Amino acid sequence: MSMQRIALIPGDGIGVPVTQAAMRVVAASGASVETQTFPWSCDYYLEHGQMMPADGIETLRGFDAIFLGAVGWPARVPDSVSLHGLLLPIRKAFVQYANIRPHRLLPGVEGPLRRTGFDILCIRENTEGEYSGAGGRVHQGTDDEVAVETSIFTRTGVERILRFAFEQAMTRRRKLASVTKSNAQRHSMVFWDEMTDKLAAEYPEVEVSRYHIDAMCARMVMHPDSLDVVVASNLFGDILTDLGAAIQGGLGFAASANINPDRSAPSMFEPVHGSAPDIADKGIANPMAAFWSAAMMLDHLGQSEPAARIMAAMEAATAQGIGTVPGRDTTDAITDAVLGHLG
């Protein structure tokens, strides 16, 4: 396979060391990649007044994939600035409408639930919905102040994420749970339910269930093993995947992929844990989520063998108890253990 180009954006806080660790693991896996690092971060913003340069999107467009460490340092830059200045523009510009997050326990990892045999794939709509950014504020600072945040659901956006989820279900156990709140949100969420029913007719092999967001939260805690593929809007998917991270042992294991399914632009891969300023520079960030995200990246790029080697090495390390308890093992120790299993 020819060499594939990866844009690295380590970002802020623990994003920097976990990205470095992930690239060591990628190199040891035998993957055919070359990387270029970009310093876009909150520090970059404080120096330049923007999270990335004006031509940042066009610069990234020439890469096969993007690997992001973490974005944000709220004590320095408001999250509303950092998020809307880097992460969200990349997702939207490259039409990365499918956010994929796997939730299962690695060997040796103890989650907070009594049930352990779950394997959930959450599919989150990634470019519109509640995070569209439509709205505004008027009369700011007065007693008459008004804030309006408008959710945008398009037929194109809803249909394509649901179809993507159905296709994922077809490759797994053929069960799909669609999550809304249509009893309270009678326009956008009823529309989502209608689109789910429409597409279900095209996939008769898939068993489709519909849940309200609150009921799904309860099911993920009480009966996670009953779930296979879960699809939800931008906001609901965001909430559910943090819950999914909790039941799989913590954010240190939570990987994600921001996918452009038609491959007309690069997809982006990132651990979900964020920048974690409270433990930055302490050397104890768990890089497992970054490793998992890197494996997802390689698999997306068609390098399935190196991806499988990374996952097997991770599982061998956790089976030995390495990296299974937050803060117990250093980033370097976990990385060295995984590298050891990669040979």
Side-chain angles (χ1 to χ4, degrees), residues 52-67:
M52 64 177 167
D55 64 350
I57 293 296
E58 289 310 307
T59 298
L60 294 173
R61 194 178 296 277
F63 288 84
D64 295 297
I66 304 161
F67 190 90

Side-chain angles (χ1 to χ4, degrees), residues 216-228:
M216 175 54 72
C217 288
R219 178 161 288 272
M220 286 183 69
V221 172
M222 300 300 294
H223 302 288
D225 48 328
S226 69
L227 300 169
D228 182 19

Side-chain angles (χ1 to χ4, degrees), residues 67 254-257 269-272 288-298:
F67 190 90
S256 77
F269 302 82
E270 56 171 324
V272 177
M288 287 294 188
F291 299 164
W292 201 332
S293 299
M296 295 174 72
M297 177 181 70
L298 294 177

Side-chain angles (χ1 to χ4, degrees), residues 109-187:
V109 177
E110 293 185 7
L113 305 181
R114 288 176 293 179
R115 297 176 184 268
T116 59
F118 57 87
D119 182 0
I120 305 170
L121 189 69
C122 279
I123 308 296
R124 166 191 172 191
E125 200 290 315
N126 214 29
T127 58
E128 56 175 46
E130 303 89 348
Y131 293 175
S132 298
R137 293 170 63 183
V138 296
H139 309 305
Q140 293 187 43
T142 74
D143 291 341
D144 297 319
E145 184 167 1
V146 177
V148 176
E149 193 85 32
T150 303
S151 299
I152 304 294
F153 289 86
T154 66
R155 178 173 289 270
T156 295
V158 173
E159 181 171 357
R160 69 188 181 187
I161 193 62
L162 287 170
R163 188 176 298 280
F164 183 86
F166 272 102
E167 292 292 336
Q168 293 298 306
M170 288 291 291
T171 68
R172 291 168 54 95
R173 302 193 303 277
R174 301 193 175 190
K175 295 175 61 178
L176 178 68
S178 179
V179 182
T180 66
K181 189 62 176 172
S182 51
N183 58 340
Q185 295 175 287
R186 61 180 184 172
H187 302 300

